[in-house]
Amino acid sequence: MTLSAFLFQALNGLSTASGLFFIAVGLSLIFGVTRIINIAHGSLYMLGTYIAYSFATKIGGVLGFWGGILATALIVGAIGALIEIVLLRRIYRAPELFQLLATFALVLVINDATLWLWGPEDLLGPRAPGLGGAVEVLGRKLPTYDLFLIFVGPLVLVILHFALARTRFGRLIRAATQDREMVGALGVNQSILFTSVFALGALLAGLGGALQVAREPANLATDLVAIGDAFVVVVVGGMGSITGAYLAAVIIAEVKALCIGIGVVDFGFISVNFSKLTLVAEFLVMAVVLIARPYGLLGRAQATVRSIAEPEEPIRPATPMLKALAVTVLALLLCLPLLAQSSPYLLILGIDVLIAVIFATSLHFIMGPGGMHSFGHAAYFGLGAYGAALLVKWLGVPMGLALAAAPLVALAGALLFGWFAVRLSGVYLAMLTLAFAQIVWAAVFQWEGFTGGSNGVIGVWPPPPFDKSWVYFVLTLLLAVTGVLLLRRFLFAPFGYAMRAGRDSPLRAEAIGIDVKRVHWLGFAIAGGVCGVAGGLFAFAKGSISPETIGVGRSIDGLVMVLLGGIQTLTGPIVGASVFATLQDTVMRQTEYWRALLGAIILLLVLAFPQGIVGAFAAIWRKGKIEKSEGAS
Amino acid sequence: MSSAPMLAVDSLSAWYGAARILYDLSFEVGRGEVVALMGRNGAGKSTTLKAVMGLLAQRQGKVRFNGDDISALKPFEIARRGLGFTPEDRRIFVDLTVMENLDIGRQAPRTFADGAPAPSWTPDKLFALFPNLAEMPNRLGNRMSGGEQQMLTVARTLMGNPLLVLLDEPSEGVAPLIVEQMASTIVELKKEGLSILLSEQNIHFARLVADRVYVLEKGQIHWQGSMTQLDNNPDVQRAYLTV
């Protein structure tokens, strides 16, 4: 590549950076003050592009385009305020993960609302009136609009910087980012502050999306792509630093642009297609930054957040009643093959549910008792599934061996990734696990020669007698029960106590001689290994495995299952996985708008049962007991 | 007391999770009075102040302030009625300068229930009260000493022109010189007409400032009386205060 082509790509990168910056900075501001990680921020960005498209095409002209962009920013800001008032305000006291779940539900709802309003086609807006031409830079034509975008980002950065430094609103944002409770105790109405900050963040995202209208088509997949990029930018730049957000946006956009620009490079012994690395490049950058600077380039260690959620109850061994219930359920499940003779679908559903149970229980193991919020549990599912499938494909090993290898492959991956992940905590840990999962996904997706690329691996069917679904069901049941009991055993062993001690107070745990990092690392690895079993079972149950089944969607499904059931109990993930997998297999397939339906169900559950399904029943049960004992005394 | 008390607390209880911390506390602070809640570490002093301020979600009981029932209000609403709060761990905003910290606490001047104006504060007036702060208006919070932070906490609360201040352990963790300064500041504030409820372990400090004392242990009030009575009662001191 020539130097001028190189520089030209760099310019291109700068104009992309502005868009990334707009969404990342809003995300960062909102997180700082409200401590909510707004996964729906990418959706607000996407909405911005769609609304601006409507203004630009329906009204048209200079007013429709430029006026439309401003109006869009205001509209999206108002939508943000509405979201905060109607939904988020009710769950500030809920555990952090519940808030994540709620904003994820918004992603689903907004995506389907957009589909309903604008349809599934990509919509490319008109050229920007006044900036439709191109200027010649380094012998190439750079659209004037891109040049404009290059300057808009830094301009907004400067405006925000001064607003934060010089206005009372800015001071309040900075103060609340550190200690919002104290700000309240000094007479500041937090509700108004939170709503305004959320509206501001949404406005910035809407503006960023609207500005893309003349550059890229409005597309329904933008929401998750944008939020993924924005997470990376915020984490690389440092949570809460707006300058860091811009810096990181530039770095990420440049790395991507250069990967595309470099193209295929022949190293003599091997040729690497760099443009294929774009999917993984940003996550590699993030992984490197997080390992070198755990709080991002310009971030600082966060002051310990004053948790306003209720302290977590200790987990308790199963009561005799629960044990009896478990045995009953198990007996019923064993009878399922008999009941299912008339409807074989029931067994397929049963297998799906049991695989989900293994997946969710292993995720809960590190999220609940380990306190490590993994956003990339799909990685270990994928490693298990691909490990088993590829052994069958390339070496023709029998199913038993492949299923035994699945957890080992996942364990190896979890040992490697976990070693890095346990060095971080909170949001940063979540993001790093997401990065690792994306790397696994991208590797599988890009390495066509070995993994089959986007087609995946097919023809991984179980041999007789396991080709009968009832036999495979019993095998799955056996492995699921073993997996769940194994994880329980770990939790009630000294190892499990150490893991919880490390979660509740790392300092005190270290002081009594627990190597917290090592314990959490092993916990991470154990969870990964058990999750690999789910992956292996999945590959043989479906007869195939493909990249989309191990993508970020699966990680999020896992989070939803765990949170749905309730993170504070051990039965929670089992119930959550069962409910979720059943809903997914039945209701979701009935409607085109299944995302909105799922989102609505999640929102309803979040608002009605902020402790998860099992948590809610446990709370009612406890309350009843307390009232009884107080009435007696 | 002839007039209605500024702050009247009636059977206040509070919980952290399942653990009950306060048991039916009842106490009062009269207008212009300095009252000390005394007791050892863990007796429930800070929890009491936080519960009065509305900072504990799980609380029960009635709190009347300046003639109004504030039991069910949110902390910011309580602060806006003129109840100031300075936490023991100071909690100043470390990324903000002294002036910016003061600005966060700013509220409009207010009056007592009988219409008399409450003492009102400006940065200049506060700098006269705390000369140390006057020397560093643009210093960031994280570059200040513990004593300076303690003064800033009090000054920040006073910017809200409160009628009554909840002072949580003003003498804790600061140099002896600052402790003395704190004591004279409290006396000064009392002269301005402010009422003060402070939590304190140190009887020497309380002796310098307090009119009356409630002694707490395990979340219950075990003794109450004037400061002079406590001074002359070595039994109570031995039972609940000395370490």
Side-chain angles (χ1 to χ4, degrees), chain A residues 66-85:
Chain A
W66 295 107
I69 286 179
L70 291 181
T72 302
L74 293 176
I75 292 173
V76 176
I79 294 174
L82 197 71
I83 290 173
E84 200 276 342
I85 292 169

PDB file of all heavy atoms in Angstrom, chain A residues 66-85:
ATOM      1  N   TRP A  66     -30.676  19.191   7.182  1.00  0.00           N
ATOM      2  CA  TRP A  66     -29.951  19.751   8.334  1.00  0.00           C
ATOM      3  C   TRP A  66     -30.883  20.013   9.505  1.00  0.00           C
ATOM      4  O   TRP A  66     -30.547  19.690  10.656  1.00  0.00           O
ATOM      5  CB  TRP A  66     -29.212  21.032   7.927  1.00  0.00           C
ATOM      6  CG  TRP A  66     -28.132  20.746   6.923  1.00  0.00           C
ATOM      7  CD1 TRP A  66     -28.144  21.045   5.591  1.00  0.00           C
ATOM      8  CD2 TRP A  66     -26.899  20.064   7.165  1.00  0.00           C
ATOM      9  NE1 TRP A  66     -27.001  20.600   4.987  1.00  0.00           N
ATOM     10  CE2 TRP A  66     -26.204  19.992   5.927  1.00  0.00           C
ATOM     11  CE3 TRP A  66     -26.299  19.500   8.288  1.00  0.00           C
ATOM     12  CZ2 TRP A  66     -24.973  19.384   5.793  1.00  0.00           C
ATOM     13  CZ3 TRP A  66     -25.058  18.897   8.149  1.00  0.00           C
ATOM     14  CH2 TRP A  66     -24.406  18.840   6.920  1.00  0.00           C
ATOM     15  N   GLY A  67     -32.047  20.593   9.211  1.00  0.00           N
ATOM     16  CA  GLY A  67     -33.032  20.785  10.277  1.00  0.00           C
ATOM     17  C   GLY A  67     -33.454  19.439  10.838  1.00  0.00           C
ATOM     18  O   GLY A  67     -33.652  19.271  12.045  1.00  0.00           O
ATOM     19  N   GLY A  68     -33.567  18.451   9.943  1.00  0.00           N
ATOM     20  CA  GLY A  68     -33.970  17.111  10.360  1.00  0.00           C
ATOM     21  C   GLY A  68     -32.971  16.495  11.319  1.00  0.00           C
ATOM     22  O   GLY A  68     -33.360  15.830  12.290  1.00  0.00           O
ATOM     23  N   ILE A  69     -31.685  16.741  11.051  1.00  0.00           N
ATOM     24  CA  ILE A  69     -30.667  16.172  11.945  1.00  0.00           C
ATOM     25  C   ILE A  69     -30.817  16.745  13.353  1.00  0.00           C
ATOM     26  O   ILE A  69     -30.784  16.008  14.351  1.00  0.00           O
ATOM     27  CB  ILE A  69     -29.258  16.427  11.377  1.00  0.00           C
ATOM     28  CG1 ILE A  69     -29.030  15.482  10.187  1.00  0.00           C
ATOM     29  CG2 ILE A  69     -28.185  16.216  12.440  1.00  0.00           C
ATOM     30  CD1 ILE A  69     -27.699  15.639   9.515  1.00  0.00           C
ATOM     31  N   LEU A  70     -31.011  18.054  13.427  1.00  0.00           N
ATOM     32  CA  LEU A  70     -31.185  18.667  14.756  1.00  0.00           C
ATOM     33  C   LEU A  70     -32.456  18.178  15.425  1.00  0.00           C
ATOM     34  O   LEU A  70     -32.469  17.831  16.613  1.00  0.00           O
ATOM     35  CB  LEU A  70     -31.200  20.198  14.623  1.00  0.00           C
ATOM     36  CG  LEU A  70     -29.856  20.815  14.225  1.00  0.00           C
ATOM     37  CD1 LEU A  70     -29.974  22.325  14.151  1.00  0.00           C
ATOM     38  CD2 LEU A  70     -28.774  20.405  15.229  1.00  0.00           C
ATOM     39  N   ALA A  71     -33.542  18.148  14.642  1.00  0.00           N
ATOM     40  CA  ALA A  71     -34.817  17.686  15.208  1.00  0.00           C
ATOM     41  C   ALA A  71     -34.682  16.243  15.682  1.00  0.00           C
ATOM     42  O   ALA A  71     -35.207  15.871  16.742  1.00  0.00           O
ATOM     43  CB  ALA A  71     -35.916  17.807  14.153  1.00  0.00           C
ATOM     44  N   THR A  72     -33.969  15.426  14.912  1.00  0.00           N
ATOM     45  CA  THR A  72     -33.772  14.031  15.304  1.00  0.00           C
ATOM     46  C   THR A  72     -33.079  13.935  16.653  1.00  0.00           C
ATOM     47  O   THR A  72     -33.495  13.169  17.529  1.00  0.00           O
ATOM     48  CB  THR A  72     -32.920  13.298  14.248  1.00  0.00           C
ATOM     49  OG1 THR A  72     -33.576  13.395  12.991  1.00  0.00           O
ATOM     50  CG2 THR A  72     -32.729  11.851  14.627  1.00  0.00           C
ATOM     51  N   ALA A  73     -32.009  14.741  16.803  1.00  0.00           N
ATOM     52  CA  ALA A  73     -31.277  14.707  18.072  1.00  0.00           C
ATOM     53  C   ALA A  73     -32.227  15.014  19.223  1.00  0.00           C
ATOM     54  O   ALA A  73     -32.227  14.328  20.256  1.00  0.00           O
ATOM     55  CB  ALA A  73     -30.121  15.702  18.035  1.00  0.00           C
ATOM     56  N   LEU A  74     -33.089  16.036  19.030  1.00  0.00           N
ATOM     57  CA  LEU A  74     -34.012  16.409  20.099  1.00  0.00           C
ATOM     58  C   LEU A  74     -35.036  15.306  20.355  1.00  0.00           C
ATOM     59  O   LEU A  74     -35.350  14.990  21.509  1.00  0.00           O
ATOM     60  CB  LEU A  74     -34.723  17.718  19.738  1.00  0.00           C
ATOM     61  CG  LEU A  74     -33.795  18.937  19.688  1.00  0.00           C
ATOM     62  CD1 LEU A  74     -34.559  20.176  19.222  1.00  0.00           C
ATOM     63  CD2 LEU A  74     -33.184  19.186  21.071  1.00  0.00           C
ATOM     64  N   ILE A  75     -35.533  14.712  19.264  1.00  0.00           N
ATOM     65  CA  ILE A  75     -36.537  13.655  19.431  1.00  0.00           C
ATOM     66  C   ILE A  75     -35.938  12.468  20.179  1.00  0.00           C
ATOM     67  O   ILE A  75     -36.535  11.934  21.126  1.00  0.00           O
ATOM     68  CB  ILE A  75     -37.086  13.201  18.057  1.00  0.00           C
ATOM     69  CG1 ILE A  75     -37.912  14.330  17.436  1.00  0.00           C
ATOM     70  CG2 ILE A  75     -37.917  11.934  18.192  1.00  0.00           C
ATOM     71  CD1 ILE A  75     -38.358  14.044  16.012  1.00  0.00           C
ATOM     72  N   VAL A  76     -34.737  12.060  19.763  1.00  0.00           N
ATOM     73  CA  VAL A  76     -34.112  10.913  20.433  1.00  0.00           C
ATOM     74  C   VAL A  76     -33.805  11.259  21.893  1.00  0.00           C
ATOM     75  O   VAL A  76     -33.954  10.421  22.785  1.00  0.00           O
ATOM     76  CB  VAL A  76     -32.847  10.451  19.681  1.00  0.00           C
ATOM     77  CG1 VAL A  76     -32.153   9.322  20.420  1.00  0.00           C
ATOM     78  CG2 VAL A  76     -33.211   9.993  18.275  1.00  0.00           C
ATOM     79  N   GLY A  77     -33.415  12.512  22.137  1.00  0.00           N
ATOM     80  CA  GLY A  77     -33.212  12.946  23.514  1.00  0.00           C
ATOM     81  C   GLY A  77     -34.494  12.793  24.324  1.00  0.00           C
ATOM     82  O   GLY A  77     -34.477  12.309  25.466  1.00  0.00           O
ATOM     83  N   ALA A  78     -35.617  13.181  23.718  1.00  0.00           N
ATOM     84  CA  ALA A  78     -36.905  13.066  24.406  1.00  0.00           C
ATOM     85  C   ALA A  78     -37.256  11.594  24.645  1.00  0.00           C
ATOM     86  O   ALA A  78     -37.773  11.232  25.712  1.00  0.00           O
ATOM     87  CB  ALA A  78     -37.992  13.748  23.591  1.00  0.00           C
ATOM     88  N   ILE A  79     -36.954  10.746  23.655  1.00  0.00           N
ATOM     89  CA  ILE A  79     -37.210   9.315  23.847  1.00  0.00           C
ATOM     90  C   ILE A  79     -36.375   8.801  25.023  1.00  0.00           C
ATOM     91  O   ILE A  79     -36.859   8.026  25.856  1.00  0.00           O
ATOM     92  CB  ILE A  79     -36.873   8.528  22.555  1.00  0.00           C
ATOM     93  CG1 ILE A  79     -37.834   8.920  21.432  1.00  0.00           C
ATOM     94  CG2 ILE A  79     -36.924   7.022  22.801  1.00  0.00           C
ATOM     95  CD1 ILE A  79     -37.494   8.321  20.083  1.00  0.00           C
ATOM     96  N   GLY A  80     -35.145   9.269  25.088  1.00  0.00           N
ATOM     97  CA  GLY A  80     -34.279   8.880  26.203  1.00  0.00           C
ATOM     98  C   GLY A  80     -34.884   9.283  27.540  1.00  0.00           C
ATOM     99  O   GLY A  80     -34.933   8.493  28.484  1.00  0.00           O
ATOM    100  N   ALA A  81     -35.363  10.520  27.615  1.00  0.00           N
ATOM    101  CA  ALA A  81     -35.973  10.990  28.857  1.00  0.00           C
ATOM    102  C   ALA A  81     -37.169  10.114  29.228  1.00  0.00           C
ATOM    103  O   ALA A  81     -37.356   9.730  30.387  1.00  0.00           O
ATOM    104  CB  ALA A  81     -36.406  12.445  28.703  1.00  0.00           C
ATOM    105  N   LEU A  82     -37.955   9.774  28.224  1.00  0.00           N
ATOM    106  CA  LEU A  82     -39.136   8.935  28.449  1.00  0.00           C
ATOM    107  C   LEU A  82     -38.722   7.569  28.996  1.00  0.00           C
ATOM    108  O   LEU A  82     -39.320   7.049  29.956  1.00  0.00           O
ATOM    109  CB  LEU A  82     -39.879   8.782  27.120  1.00  0.00           C
ATOM    110  CG  LEU A  82     -41.308   8.296  27.213  1.00  0.00           C
ATOM    111  CD1 LEU A  82     -42.173   9.399  27.797  1.00  0.00           C
ATOM    112  CD2 LEU A  82     -41.827   7.886  25.847  1.00  0.00           C
ATOM    113  N   ILE A  83     -37.702   6.990  28.393  1.00  0.00           N
ATOM    114  CA  ILE A  83     -37.219   5.676  28.844  1.00  0.00           C
ATOM    115  C   ILE A  83     -36.795   5.753  30.303  1.00  0.00           C
ATOM    116  O   ILE A  83     -37.106   4.882  31.119  1.00  0.00           O
ATOM    117  CB  ILE A  83     -36.028   5.212  27.975  1.00  0.00           C
ATOM    118  CG1 ILE A  83     -36.496   4.855  26.571  1.00  0.00           C
ATOM    119  CG2 ILE A  83     -35.311   4.032  28.624  1.00  0.00           C
ATOM    120  CD1 ILE A  83     -35.370   4.544  25.613  1.00  0.00           C
ATOM    121  N   GLU A  84     -36.078   6.832  30.629  1.00  0.00           N
ATOM    122  CA  GLU A  84     -35.588   6.972  31.998  1.00  0.00           C
ATOM    123  C   GLU A  84     -36.751   7.086  32.977  1.00  0.00           C
ATOM    124  O   GLU A  84     -36.769   6.447  34.030  1.00  0.00           O
ATOM    125  CB  GLU A  84     -34.679   8.200  32.086  1.00  0.00           C
ATOM    126  CG  GLU A  84     -33.740   8.197  33.278  1.00  0.00           C
ATOM    127  CD  GLU A  84     -34.378   8.710  34.558  1.00  0.00           C
ATOM    128  OE1 GLU A  84     -35.433   9.388  34.485  1.00  0.00           O
ATOM    129  OE2 GLU A  84     -33.845   8.426  35.628  1.00  0.00           O
ATOM    130  N   ILE A  85     -37.736   7.902  32.608  1.00  0.00           N
ATOM    131  CA  ILE A  85     -38.836   8.165  33.538  1.00  0.00           C
ATOM    132  C   ILE A  85     -39.730   6.932  33.694  1.00  0.00           C
ATOM    133  O   ILE A  85     -40.113   6.556  34.798  1.00  0.00           O
ATOM    134  CB  ILE A  85     -39.669   9.376  33.049  1.00  0.00           C
ATOM    135  CG1 ILE A  85     -38.822  10.644  33.156  1.00  0.00           C
ATOM    136  CG2 ILE A  85     -40.949   9.522  33.849  1.00  0.00           C
ATOM    137  CD1 ILE A  85     -39.415  11.837  32.465  1.00  0.00           C
TER     138      ILE A  85
END
